[in-house]
Amino acid sequence: MSDNEIKSARILIVEDEAPIRTLISFACAGAGFEVECTDSAVTAQRIVEENRPDLVLLDYMLPELSGVEWLEKLHADPKTKDLPVIMLTARGSESDRVKGLNAGADDYVVKPFMPRELIARIQAVLRRYRIQSQNRGGTDDVVVCGPLTMNESSFEAKVDDVPLSLSAKEFKLLLVFAKNPERVYSREMLLQLVWDNANVDERTVDVHMLRLRKQLQGTKAENLLQTVRGLGYRAHVE
Ligand code: CA
């Protein structure tokens, strides 16, 4: 996907609340995207089969089939498992966000949001897909984040072709950041995403972050993992 193709990407909006749907639709059209809207996941499935969009904006709470249920279906189907999806979730519902990310959402946006933030998220996800498709050369499951490359199927992580030696948890943790650069994750979210809500202390996250940073020391990804005071951690690509 070229820069121009990203600018004119086709976005499918799945949102049952008409005023929000209209707002998102205006924002996307204003940014130059081609827009299609529906109020149900059932119709969205048909649209995807008939004319696949470049990205789906998917509300979490929908009648009939919920956003997250449909997302699980999309990901179970080889034809649609690589369709980029951004979830729209309600404020304060951290568990919805985690469920969405676990079901395979590429990112989430919390309602109410600034249209500018939404557009930036869409562009970031589309750019990431473009980089991945350029890098993978036919193989799936490669995530690129600045100088860091991670292969989800072989569990290999490299910085500029130098392999990192990571434990399974460290790999999973680093992958969360690599998939969504600039996105801030709270310790609570990381515990849910990486440790599946097991009964572990938030300090476990800090300990693993410390180990990851040690691994990255002296590499080009030395400053990749950043602490965001009072909020958590993020990956920042310079
Ligand atoms: Ca809704």
Side-chain angles (χ1 to χ4, degrees):
M1 218 180 221
S2 68
D3 276 341
N4 275 336
E5 281 166 334
I6 285 181
K7 280 189 199 120
S8 61
R10 212 171 134 257
I11 311 292
L12 172 61
I13 300 164
V14 192
E15 165 65 79
D16 60 322
E17 283 160 86
I20 300 176
R21 199 168 58 233
T22 307
L23 180 83
I24 299 172
S25 171
F26 270 123
C28 287
F33 296 127
E34 195 187 315
V35 180
E36 188 156 0
C37 295
T38 172
D39 58 2
S40 94
V42 178
T43 315
Q45 173 71 36
R46 207 158 52 227
I47 292 170
V48 166
E49 281 165 16
E50 281 163 11
N51 187 8
R52 183 188 164 111
D54 295 306
L55 183 142
V56 179
L57 286 177
L58 179 59
D59 186 31
Y60 191 94
M61 297 291 284
L62 292 168
E64 294 176 275
L65 189 62
S66 84
V68 81
E69 282 165 342
W70 183 49
L71 182 57
E72 280 166 358
K73 279 181 73 172
L74 282 177
H75 263 252
D77 185 342
K79 290 198 296 293
T80 51
K81 81 184 216 328
D82 60 347
L83 180 63
V85 174
I86 296 178
M87 296 270 342
L88 310 172
T89 69
R91 180 168 294 281
S93 185
E94 207 148 314
S95 74
D96 284 1
R97 265 161 255 161
V98 170
K99 274 185 212 152
L101 291 170
N102 273 338
D106 294 282
D107 202 355
Y108 63 84
V109 176
V110 180
K111 290 194 258 187
F113 46 78
M114 299 292 288
R116 210 171 49 188
E117 186 203 348
L118 178 71
I119 300 304
R121 292 272 154 217
I122 294 172
Q123 287 165 340
V125 169
L126 290 172
R127 267 198 300 271
R128 183 150 58 78
Y129 269 80
R130 177 182 60 176
I131 290 166
Q132 278 171 34
S133 64
Q134 281 168 349
N135 279 279
R136 67 184 169 213
T139 59
D140 269 342
D141 305 325
V142 175
V143 177
V144 177
C145 177
L148 171 72
T149 306
M150 301 185 77
N151 187 318
E152 275 186 88
S153 40
S154 65
F155 289 96
E156 286 170 318
K158 290 175 179 175
V159 177
D160 272 351
D161 279 332
V162 180
L164 302 174
S165 152
L166 304 175
S167 72
K169 283 280 183 266
E170 286 162 5
F171 186 91
K172 210 171 164 187
L173 181 61
L174 187 56
L175 191 63
V176 169
F177 292 105
K179 281 188 167 179
N180 275 308
E182 314 305 330
R183 157 73 69 200
V184 177
Y185 290 92
S186 67
R187 288 172 179 81
E188 192 191 337
M189 282 190 81
L190 292 168
L191 278 179
Q192 292 185 49
L193 285 168
V194 178
W195 282 267
D196 301 320
N197 262 332
N199 196 15
V200 283
D201 196 72
E202 290 196 351
R203 273 176 42 211
T204 308
V205 177
D206 298 331
V207 169
H208 279 75
M209 290 303 293
L210 203 68
R211 285 197 212 141
L212 281 178
R213 280 180 175 150
K214 269 195 182 147
Q215 284 270 340
L216 297 174
Q217 230 166 48
T219 73
K220 276 194 187 158
E222 189 163 50
N223 299 316
L224 184 74
L225 297 176
Q226 300 191 336
T227 304
V228 183
R229 195 177 290 181
L231 292 174
Y233 297 100
R234 68 168 182 175
H236 173 66
V237 179
E238 281 157 353

